């Protein structure tokens, strides 16, 4: 049996995110040029599902990570604003814990000028259940659905739009996943012993957004539910049915906030964005 080695541990360097962020005076650097402009096309064909149902256990902060702020905005708000700025997205579904819906609305959605309609759906016990819950809020008028981790706040509208257009422009494709090529050497490990070193050129690190044709995505969920299959991501549900999913190369700074040190990386990236915008 393959032993799963979790590299996540808690040395003293992994401090509370609030402590890690003390040196970053973002409010003083706040720049209106970074405010994305929301827009909705006349006949939008895509619905976005933002998954924000995780407990944030590894993040180590009470209340999870979705409402942790960078530059005065919750992480979730950053993610949602990127989709609000894509014209073909006509609906944003935020999937979050049912008992915290009012809190999520009051802190991450209502204070900000969203143009795209935003609705909430209750999260399930696992990611797949949460994605299905969000999908139930998507009407038949939407031909495409895009899934995104709410804890990936630096996703850009350009990347979202490009991924959607990749699916639209390839009629034999059922979806497209943002990913980037693996850069580290990979090892196959069994019982704590290295048994192989695969060719990393064929391996990519999957991220979000992931875009799918809504019809095949619904069928994939129905099949998975019927067979008791639990996938590692949304694409895996379609892959098991023989669907064709393309890859779109993303950026390594499309970081997911998972553990405290990720906050420092995100904060540094935002600081760079703010400073660059000031010098334009």
């Amino acid at each position: 049996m393959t032993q799963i080695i979790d590299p996540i541990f808690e040395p003293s360097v992994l401090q509370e995110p609030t402590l890690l962020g003390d040196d970053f005076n973002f409010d003083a650097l706040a720049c209106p040029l970074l405010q994305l402009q929301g827009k909705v096309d006349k006949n939008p064909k895509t619905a976005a599902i933002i998954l924000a149902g995780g407990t944030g256990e590894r993040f180590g902060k009470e209340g999870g990570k979705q409402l942790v702020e960078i530059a005065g905005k919750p992480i979730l708000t950053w993610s949602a604003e990127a989709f609000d700025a894509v014209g073909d997205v006509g609906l944003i579904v935020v999937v979050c814990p049912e008992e915290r819906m009012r809190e999520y609305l009051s802190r991450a959605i209502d204070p900000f000028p969203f143009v795209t309609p935003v609705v909430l759906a209750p999260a399930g016990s696992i990611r797949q259940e949460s994605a299905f819950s969000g999908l139930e809020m998507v009407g038949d008028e939407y031909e495409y659905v895009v899934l995104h981790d709410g804890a990936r706040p630096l996703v850009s509208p350009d990347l979202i739009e490009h991924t959607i257009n990749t699916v639209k422009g390839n009629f034999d494709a059922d979806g497209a996943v943002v990913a980037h090529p693996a850069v580290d050497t990979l090892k196959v490990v069994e019982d704590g012993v290295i048994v192989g070193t695969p060719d990393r050129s064929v391996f990519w690190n999957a991220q979000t957004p992931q875009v799918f044709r809504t019809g095949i995505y619904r069928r994939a969920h129905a099949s998975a539910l019927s067979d008791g299959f639990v996938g590692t991501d949304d694409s895996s549900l379609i892959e098991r049915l023989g669907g064709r999913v393309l890859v779109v190369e993303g950026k390594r700074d499309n970081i997911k906030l998972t553990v405290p040190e990720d906050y420092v990386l995100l904060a540094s990236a935002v600081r760079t964005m703010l400073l660059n915008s000031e010098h334009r």
Side-chain angles (χ1 to χ4, degrees), residues 51-67:
L51 299 168
T55 61
E57 182 177 346
R58 286 188 291 179
F59 188 60
K61 184 172 176 64
E62 185 178 355
K65 57 196 175 184
Q66 305 289 347
L67 299 181

Side-chain angles (χ1 to χ4, degrees), residues 1 38 78 105 119 180 193 235 243 259 278:
M1 180 178 178
W78 282 82
L105 275 175
V119 298
H180 65 82
V193 178
S235 177
V259 292
E278 281 193 335

Side-chain angles (χ1 to χ4, degrees), residues 39 71 96 107 124 127 156-157 168 172 211 249 269 275:
K39 59 181 178 180
C96 65
R107 292 183 58 186
R127 176 192 173 90
S156 69
K168 288 184 175 183
D172 59 344
V211 179
E249 185 166 355
L275 292 173

Side-chain angles (χ1 to χ4, degrees), residues 92-274:
I92 298 173
V93 183
V94 174
V95 184
C96 65
E98 189 168 15
E99 67 277 9
R100 298 187 66 192
M101 283 184 172
R102 188 181 299 274
E103 179 186 11
Y104 274 53
L105 275 175
S106 65
R107 292 183 58 186
I109 303 300
D110 290 344
F112 302 94
F114 286 98
V115 173
T116 310
V118 179
V119 298
L120 271 61
S125 59
I126 60 174
R127 176 192 173 90
Q128 191 165 307
E129 291 177 357
S130 294
F132 182 72
S133 176
L135 183 60
E136 289 191 306
M137 303 292 289
V138 176
D140 293 337
E141 68 269 28
Y142 295 107
E143 298 178 18
Y144 307 92
V145 61
V146 52
L147 282 293
H148 186 64
D149 299 318
R152 289 189 191 271
L154 300 189
V155 64
S156 69
D158 287 345
L159 179 60
I160 296 168
E161 191 168 13
H162 176 59
T163 309
I164 293 171
N165 288 337
T166 296
V167 180
K168 288 184 175 183
N170 289 271
F171 297 108
D172 59 344
D174 298 301
V177 169
V178 171
H180 65 82
V183 295
D184 296 323
T185 297
L186 304 174
K187 299 292 185 181
V188 179
V189 178
E190 294 182 2
D191 297 324
V193 178
I194 295 174
V195 297
T197 304
D199 178 6
R200 71 182 180 198
S201 67
V202 299
F203 289 92
W204 289 60
N205 296 307
Q207 301 177 335
T208 62
Q210 299 188 355
V211 179
F212 309 104
R213 298 185 188 278
T214 306
I216 183 64
Y217 188 56
R218 291 192 197 278
R219 293 196 296 274
H221 265 286
S223 177
L225 183 63
S226 176
D227 297 341
F229 173 80
V230 177
T232 54
D233 70 349
D234 302 286
S235 177
S236 63
L237 303 186
I238 292 178
E239 293 165 29
R240 72 184 289 264
L241 298 184
R244 186 168 184 262
V245 181
L246 306 178
V247 66
V248 170
E249 185 166 355
K251 296 181 178 180
R252 289 176 59 82
D253 65 4
N254 186 15
I255 304 163
K256 183 178 181 181
L257 184 63
T258 303
V259 292
E261 64 262 42
D262 294 335
Y263 182 86
V264 177
L265 296 174
L266 285 169
S268 297
V270 172
R271 185 185 217 179
T272 300
M273 289 165 56
L274 289 167

